[in-house]
């Protein structure tokens, strides 16, 4: 890659970081807890998010979602079926979401009316790792069908995550998935990473996810007091 | 995306296209048939390629492989176990292979000693679609675990492919995979695309793949005669 491009890429990332910092401040002021969901295509992010939106609404929490894809608005329609406001971001060929796209697609929403905002990124284990969207927490998904080695091959994505969710647990046996091996590889790139296993299709593991989410949100709302 | 970046990106793609054209000429002169394998992470490209290398060697064909990953040389080691020469290309963060990386990693190999060269791209359904590697044929993989909608969401990858291979067929039932729906979506982005279904783990569908490969190679070796 040419030096000129590296320089310009740095500029783009810097601009994104500044916009992401502004977004984070807006989210904080509105007291909305924001989660960025990242993974390969087809790990079941949308099914998981659909169920999450339903479950949170069942607890009378106010939720909304943005979902990124190169093309189609299938996922926004799937998510909207939960009753939550959901908007599609089409990147038309771009391989990741950027803070600016998020900002544009928030227009007209009063963020303080939401407890949670979920941003489902473009399915891609590489590029989204570099783009902060101002989220509070980044959750990386790994499906049992993908193989235990993915954290080692795509280290930046798992290193930048706050939680790893192993999906499609109902297929673990059929795939001869080795959980110990996967966790070892996750911890090789991020030693303290929390790991959950779920099957959104069967409802398995969702309660633990709900607990993680509530605890993370509570932490955001009560920043550590400065020792006088 | 800023206009300046779009311009520079165009330049990179143009340079890649020129290098890819040179590679294609080299491959043609050496009479080596080159296949570029593209997909999401974890569709089973490496398992499929391992078996392909073994099967072709069993037919006394001379084969070699290059394999791209951000990090690790796991896949090159797996492929080399087949007895075929195999080299790893580590992109260290880049999300796709480029013609230049292929060219560099061919050094020291006498291409005319090979009948087939396989290039396993970085697992990513977006960016590799834009980079010609000088291959004769591009094969896109879709695993039954990913869902039938992926061709619509990542249209460029499937539109630029010469063959779609549906992998992990042994899990189709457990995943409630709808073949008709997947084929409809593949044909929506590329109407004449050939589709094979395989399970490299169980050996299912490999004979049909061998036939496709032999026919495609034969076609390359006998270019259509110009009508006088």
């Amino acid at each position: 890659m040419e030096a000129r491009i590296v320089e310009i890429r740095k500029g783009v990332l810097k601009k994104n970081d500044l916009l992401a910092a502004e977004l984070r401040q807006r989210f904080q002021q509105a007291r909305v807890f924001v989660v960025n969901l990242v993974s390969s295509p087809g790990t079941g992010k949308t099914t998981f998010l659909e169920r999450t939106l339903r479950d949170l609404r069942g607890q009378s929490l106010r939720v909304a979602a943005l979902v990124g894809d190169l093309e189609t608005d299938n996922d926004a329609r799937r998510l909207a079926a939960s009753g939550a406001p959901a908007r599609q971001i089409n990147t038309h060929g771009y391989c990741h979401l950027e803070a600016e796209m998020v900002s544009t697609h928030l227009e007209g929403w009063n963020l303080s009316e939401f407890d949670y905002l979920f941003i489902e990124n473009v399915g891609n284990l590489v590029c989204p790792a570099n783009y902060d969207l101002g989220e509070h927490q980044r959750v990386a998904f790994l499906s049992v069908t993908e193989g235990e080695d993915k954290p080692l091959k795509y280290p930046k994505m798992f290193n930048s995550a706050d939680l790893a969710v192993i999906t499609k647990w109902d297929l673990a046996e059929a795939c001869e998935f080795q959980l110990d091996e996967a966790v070892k590889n996750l911890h090789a790139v991020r030693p303290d990473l929390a790991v959950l296993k779920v099957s959104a299709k069967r409802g398995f593991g969702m309660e633990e996810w709900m607990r993680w989410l509530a605890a993370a949100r509570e932490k955001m709302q009560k920043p550590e007091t400065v020792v006088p």
Side-chain angles (χ1 to χ4, degrees), chain A:
Chain A
M1 194 71 55
E2 291 166 38
R4 195 165 56 127
I5 297 167
V6 172
E7 271 315 300
I8 287 179
R9 185 172 282 199
K10 273 188 197 159
V12 173
L13 286 173
K14 192 166 177 182
K15 191 182 149 200
N16 186 76
D17 284 346
L18 292 172
L19 272 171
E22 282 176 33
L23 274 178
R24 201 176 336 266
Q25 212 169 7
R26 272 182 70 192
F27 296 151
Q28 200 68 24
Q29 281 166 354
R31 299 177 76 74
V32 54
F33 185 67
V34 182
V35 183
N36 180 5
L37 289 70
V38 295
S39 80
S40 311
T43 56
K45 283 191 300 305
T46 312
T47 304
F48 178 86
L49 184 49
E50 244 180 301
R51 183 139 195 161
T52 300
L53 296 175
R54 277 216 176 86
D55 290 357
L56 290 171
R57 281 170 57 85
Q59 298 168 40
S60 301
L61 288 157
R62 304 161 306 162
V63 293
L66 294 177
V67 50
D69 274 303
L70 275 72
E71 305 292 345
T72 83
D73 65 347
N74 298 353
D75 284 359
R77 283 188 283 115
R78 280 174 65 189
L79 296 176
S82 70
R87 285 179 177 171
Q88 184 77 46
I89 305 178
N90 276 146
T91 63
H92 302 298
Y94 286 113
C95 49
H96 58 271
L97 292 183
E98 297 187 7
E100 194 173 7
M101 301 176 194
V102 170
S103 177
T104 309
H105 285 79
L106 290 175
E107 266 171 36
W109 274 356
N110 180 354
L111 289 175
S112 59
E113 288 175 4
F114 302 132
D115 299 308
Y116 289 95
L117 170 68
F118 296 91
I119 307 174
E120 184 184 335
N121 220 308
V122 175
N124 179 342
L125 264 186
V126 189
C127 316
N130 298 314
Y131 292 84
D132 183 4
L133 305 180
E135 71 266 20
H136 292 98
Q137 300 276 281
R138 185 178 293 188
V139 178
F141 294 77
L142 172 69
S143 102
V144 297
T145 65
E146 287 179 277
E148 302 80 1
D149 60 342
K150 296 304 168 289
L152 300 180
K153 287 179 158 190
Y154 302 88
K156 188 155 189 184
M157 188 59 95
F158 293 95
N159 174 270
S160 70
D162 301 292
L163 172 71
V165 175
I166 300 180
T167 57
K168 307 199 184 188
W169 191 253
D170 52 304
L171 295 174
E173 214 180 295
C175 295
E176 298 165 35
F177 183 76
Q178 304 296 321
L179 179 63
D180 289 353
E181 184 69 18
V183 172
K184 192 185 81 181
N185 293 339
L186 284 165
H187 288 168
V189 300
R190 178 143 182 185
D192 57 346
L193 190 62
V195 182
L196 295 181
K197 44 188 207 286
V198 306
S199 166
K201 203 165 150 185
R202 311 277 176 230
F204 173 78
M206 298 304 287
E207 282 168 27
E208 211 167 335
W209 157 244
M210 286 291 139
R211 276 197 292 275
W212 182 89
L213 211 47
R217 178 167 166 254
E218 197 173 352
K219 203 169 161 192
M220 174 271 290
Q221 291 184 325
K222 291 182 192 157
E224 284 171 44
T225 16
V226 180
V227 181

